[in-house]
Amino acid sequence: MALRSTVELQLEARILAKNDRAATANRELFQSRQWRVLNLLGSPGAGKTALLEATLKALGDRPEPPIQLYVIEGDQATDNDARRIQAAGGHAVQVGTGQGCHLEAAAIAQAAELLNPPHGSLLVIENVGNLVCPALFDLGEAAKVVVISTTEGDDKPLKYPHAFRAAHAIVLTKTDLLPYVPFDRDRFLDCVRRINPTAPVFEVSALMGLGLGDWCAWATATTAAPTDAS
Ligand code: MG
Ligand code: ZN
């Protein structure tokens, strides 16, 4: 294994410190606008966008006063996911990261201002599909959520401990496939608990619309419904 040089490590520390300053400013912005901001992390194909499409539908079906969902989509290329959210009735902007493999706080401030959700909205940032460096970059979010599907390995929490440790909630997607895939649910939950003893684990099928109620209740827990027609 190649050891990284002191210069590389100093550069990395500088990049992270700069990001942390932007994240602190984001956090103040989000609080002042009363947005509940979630940062969604997961591998490509984990079902992050499908979860958001299903969340939009589930929030719309609830008897409570509607909470609006706004989405910042991060991908290296295309605006496909932002268009999926819009087609599902949500508001979304796409941030293209080019060669970048994660979102940084400065880009989030611009995207959030562009979206400008009303007070009390839920604002979800769908990070670039990647379980490694997105865990290191604070975006100013209230909570990180790791999304993992039953088509991935049930030992993923042990392989990507930084993301799972940083998670305030974990969503296991594609539960409708459990009878057909070798994913061992009990082993997965055991791996999660070894890395992160406290985060709630929500088990959902976006395709079948299963398990979304508890997830939506958690996701919107601290968002206040807007009191006026803002
Ligand atoms: Mg996506
Ligand atoms: Zn990265």
Side-chain angles (χ1 to χ4, degrees):
M1 186 181 87
L3 287 175
R4 287 180 302 168
S5 70
T6 310
V7 173
E8 279 177 318
L9 289 172
Q10 284 174 345
L11 186 63
E12 188 177 292
R14 263 214 321 267
I15 290 168
L16 285 172
K18 182 167 168 253
N19 184 74
D20 281 347
R21 285 193 294 278
T24 299
N26 283 359
R27 198 162 274 118
E28 285 164 10
L29 171 73
F30 300 160
Q31 279 167 3
S32 73
R33 308 285 179 91
Q34 296 169 31
W35 300 333
R36 174 161 164 88
V37 182
L38 305 179
N39 183 3
L40 235 59
L41 318 183
S43 308
K48 298 182 293 300
T49 313
L51 174 67
L52 293 177
E53 289 170 318
T55 301
L56 270 166
K57 183 170 186 313
L59 287 177
D61 290 345
R62 296 199 314 176
E64 294 97 307
I67 287 174
Q68 303 220 51
L69 174 61
Y70 285 71
V71 181
I72 297 172
E73 286 286 351
D75 278 300
Q76 288 196 322
T78 83
D79 61 353
N80 290 356
D81 284 359
R83 286 195 279 126
R84 278 174 64 185
I85 297 298
Q86 288 160 356
H91 310 265
V93 289
Q94 187 85 37
V95 175
T97 59
Q99 294 189 338
C101 45
H102 58 265
L103 287 168
E104 295 190 19
I108 295 306
Q110 289 179 20
E113 291 285 12
L114 201 63
L115 270 177
N116 195 22
H119 280 45
S121 298
L122 175 63
L123 174 59
V124 178
I125 302 162
E126 182 185 333
N127 220 308
V128 180
N130 171 0
L131 268 180
V132 184
C133 44
L136 298 175
F137 286 82
D138 183 7
L139 303 179
E141 70 274 354
K144 285 185 171 67
V145 178
V146 166
V147 180
I148 174 171
S149 68
T150 58
T151 57
E152 301 173 60
D154 47 32
D155 60 348
K156 277 277 169 72
L158 304 183
K159 290 180 173 174
Y160 299 94
H162 299 291
F164 280 89
R165 194 173 293 126
H168 297 84
I170 293 158
V171 182
L172 177 65
T173 61
K174 310 187 193 180
T175 55
D176 54 293
L177 295 180
L178 275 171
Y180 313 107
V181 292
F183 188 93
D184 183 331
R185 176 183 170 273
D186 291 338
R187 182 165 183 242
F188 168 71
L189 293 173
D190 180 58
C191 290
V192 168
R193 285 298 163 247
R194 283 159 68 181
I195 299 296
N196 187 330
T198 54
V201 179
F202 300 103
E203 302 177 48
V204 309
S205 165
L207 190 66
M208 309 299 283
L210 299 174
L212 293 159
D214 288 348
W215 153 249
C216 286
W218 181 88
T220 58
T222 60
T223 50
T227 50
D228 57 354
S230 54

